[in-house]
Amino acid sequence: MKERFLVSGGAPLSRSGKGDGAKNSVLKLMAAALLAEGTTTLHNCPEILDVPLMCDVLVGLGCEVDIEGSTVRIHTPAEVSPDADFDAVRQFRASVAVLGPLMARCHRARVALPGGDAIGSRPLDMHQTGLEKLGATTRIEHGAVVAEATALHGANIKLDFPSVGATENIVTAAVMAEGRTVLDNAAREPEIVDLCDMLNSMGARIDGAGTSTITIDGVQALRPTEHTVVGDRIVAGTWAYAAAITGGDITVTGIAPRHLHLALSKLKLAGAQVETYEHGFRVRMDGRPKAVDYQTLPFPGFPTDLQPMAIAIAAVADGVSVITENVFEARFRFVDEMQRLGADANVDGHHVVLRGVDRLSSTDVWSSDIRAGAGLVLAGLVAEGVTTVHDVHHIDRGYPNFVEQLRELGAEIRRVSDSKHAAN
């Protein structure tokens, strides 16, 4: 059943709340549970659609999975199936995270090419090259990536780009390889650190997570563990930009502000008052935001996942902003929907120039991915009238209880279905 959000503009958002566990971490941690026989327990898991999807993937590989609130328990058998070529895998991008663990456990894997957000090309060539350096042969056939190895051995690997997914799969494959692996130009995201922290608690020997060089000394076996998922910096950043765009006052706890350093710094330049604490931050905005330029880069640069929020605030800022997208080439399809809302935006290659308007105007818009959907809702919060956001299943994949959380912040938003029955 298709659902949509009705968003009424005009209300400043306020109040405080605790952030959720990170979508971009929990799914990879769940996949890493394949590395150890026994029960791995994850706490602070976000209640998003992708978590039960990953549960389906793990069940298809032979695990038993229990979800109780924000806790997920994964019971991994002594032998797991190397075949992840089924429908659940194709429904979201993070499913490819099982490739590395399956190679470590089984020395072979068949993983359906994943689906997910329509934000541009995300090939698996760096994943394949990394596994081949570790001693595997790989190929793409019949819509799946296939990898096989007699044994895995340590290697020196340098990524062409600090890909998060390739870093994760290489690390999870190398943790049980013979010898030492040195991975250069590795992704530095906090979610990579979270994964490596969990792997080390399972008995892995990983050093350098959070830097561009990660060293992995292979071990013979890992043990199950209990781990708390890191806070979601993208959801927290969304609330920060919601405060700024609506002239509100929002405090978020359960997140390390250093994970959002550049994103919060940009809000200061836009005129917001930003206070940071050890485990949280507060954002207040009085009046219209000022125009600010943004360019997305891998961590610690400005997150590509917050680019739609940057465009939303730039659309109503005082002055001209230039947003440059350096990570995903198709992310600017979101701009078409912003133009529907009255944004003065022009795309030129991987740049978009926005001349801020006093206020946006409501209409029907469509989500193309998780973050674009959230960005459209933020835009709707400062549009005159009621904005209808369609295809909100994308948003549900990345934001727990999105409507309820926005309502608690003071937003006028409700979820309705095509059956005409209102919900929430």
Side-chain angles (χ1 to χ4, degrees):
M1 183 180 297
K2 289 188 176 181
E3 296 181 319
R4 57 195 183 276
F5 294 159
L6 303 183
V7 186
S8 298
L13 304 192
S14 60
R15 300 181 193 169
S16 62
K18 183 179 182 300
D20 299 284
K23 166 194 178 290
N24 289 338
S25 188
V26 66
L27 305 175
K28 321 304 175 60
L29 301 176
M30 293 173 70
L34 290 165
L35 288 163
E37 178 185 357
T39 301
T40 292
T41 302
L42 299 175
H43 301 290
N44 197 36
C45 300
E47 295 181 42
I48 55 175
L49 290 182
D50 277 8
V51 167
L53 276 177
M54 183 59 87
C55 291
D56 290 343
V57 172
L58 296 178
V59 169
L61 296 173
C63 300
E64 295 180 9
V65 184
D66 300 320
I67 301 179
E68 184 179 346
S70 62
T71 297
V72 176
R73 295 181 179 84
I74 302 162
H75 313 280
T76 304
E79 294 186 9
V80 296
S81 170
D83 188 358
D85 189 4
F86 44 86
D87 286 342
V89 181
R90 298 184 181 91
Q91 294 184 48
F92 64 121
R93 176 69 186 184
S95 60
V96 77
V98 303
L99 179 61
L102 289 178
M103 285 303 297
R105 282 292 304 273
C106 308
H107 289 171
R108 59 192 179 96
R110 182 183 186 88
V111 181
L113 295 177
D117 291 334
I119 57 177
S121 175
R122 295 193 280 183
L124 299 182
D125 54 340
M126 282 187 283
H127 302 242
Q128 292 179 258
T129 299
L131 292 178
E132 289 167 1
K133 290 276 190 177
L134 295 173
T137 60
T138 72
R139 62 187 183 276
I140 302 291
E141 66 176 21
H142 305 300
V145 56
V146 180
E148 300 170 320
T150 303
L152 296 178
H153 54 75
N156 293 323
I157 304 169
K158 184 173 183 178
L159 296 178
D160 294 334
F161 178 84
S163 161
V164 172
T167 298
E168 291 161 343
N169 267 327
I170 293 168
V171 168
T172 52
V175 288
M176 293 167 64
E178 182 179 353
R180 170 170 289 186
T181 297
V182 178
L183 178 59
D184 283 321
N185 201 26
R188 300 165 58 188
E189 274 72 2
E191 295 79 18
I192 296 290
V193 177
D194 198 31
L195 173 62
C196 291
D197 285 347
M198 175 175 150
L199 292 171
N200 282 338
S201 74
M202 298 171 74
R205 297 172 60 194
I206 303 170
D207 186 50
T211 75
S212 58
T213 301
I214 299 177
T215 302
I216 309 107
D217 289 307
V219 298
Q220 290 189 339
L222 297 178
R223 57 182 178 271
T225 192
E226 189 167 353
H227 182 81
T228 299
V229 181
V230 70
D232 196 317
R233 62 194 171 97
I234 304 302
V235 173
T238 300
W239 303 142
Y241 276 71
I245 197 173
T246 64
D249 182 349
I250 292 177
T251 299
V252 179
T253 59
I255 181 74
R258 67 182 183 277
H259 295 166
L260 282 168
H261 173 72
L262 189 53
L264 295 176
S265 295
K266 291 291 186 180
L267 289 182
K268 288 182 182 180
L269 292 175
Q273 301 175 62
V274 179
E275 302 172 34
T276 58
Y277 319 109
E278 184 179 0
H279 300 294
F281 60 82
R282 180 184 183 185
V283 174
R284 292 175 288 169
M285 175 70 87
D286 295 319
R288 187 178 179 186
K290 301 172 186 175
V292 177
D293 294 339
Y294 300 81
Q295 61 172 327
T296 67
L297 288 167
F299 188 85
F302 189 85
T304 182
D305 281 351
L306 287 179
Q307 180 245 79
M309 295 62 173
I311 289 178
I313 196 171
V316 294
D318 183 10
V320 178
S321 304
V322 178
I323 287 86
T324 302
E325 175 57 52
N326 294 309
V327 181
F328 293 126
E329 73 278 2
R331 206 144 214 173
F332 280 159
R333 68 178 58 191
F334 165 76
V335 176
D336 294 340
E337 301 307 305
M338 287 297 298
Q339 290 171 334
R340 291 176 183 270
L341 292 168
D344 184 350
N346 292 287
V347 176
D348 181 9
H350 64 123
H351 310 281
V352 58
V353 179
L354 291 113
R355 293 169 175 83
V357 298
D358 290 335
R359 191 162 187 188
L360 300 173
S361 57
S362 59
T363 189
D364 285 48
V365 290
W366 281 260
S367 306
S368 57
D369 64 77
I370 297 170
R371 311 307 173 184
L376 290 171
V377 171
L378 262 59
L381 292 172
V382 290
E384 186 176 359
V386 179
T387 298
T388 302
V389 181
H390 298 270
D391 293 337
V392 298
H393 61 279
H394 290 297
I395 302 173
D396 292 334
R397 288 183 44 231
Y399 289 86
N401 305 310
F402 191 63
V403 168
E404 294 83 356
Q405 292 205 45
L406 277 172
R407 281 185 165 186
E408 289 176 3
L409 295 170
E412 294 184 39
I413 179 174
R414 62 192 180 103
R415 181 192 299 263
V416 298
S417 69
D418 286 344
S419 65
K420 308 299 182 184
H421 296 298
N424 297 329

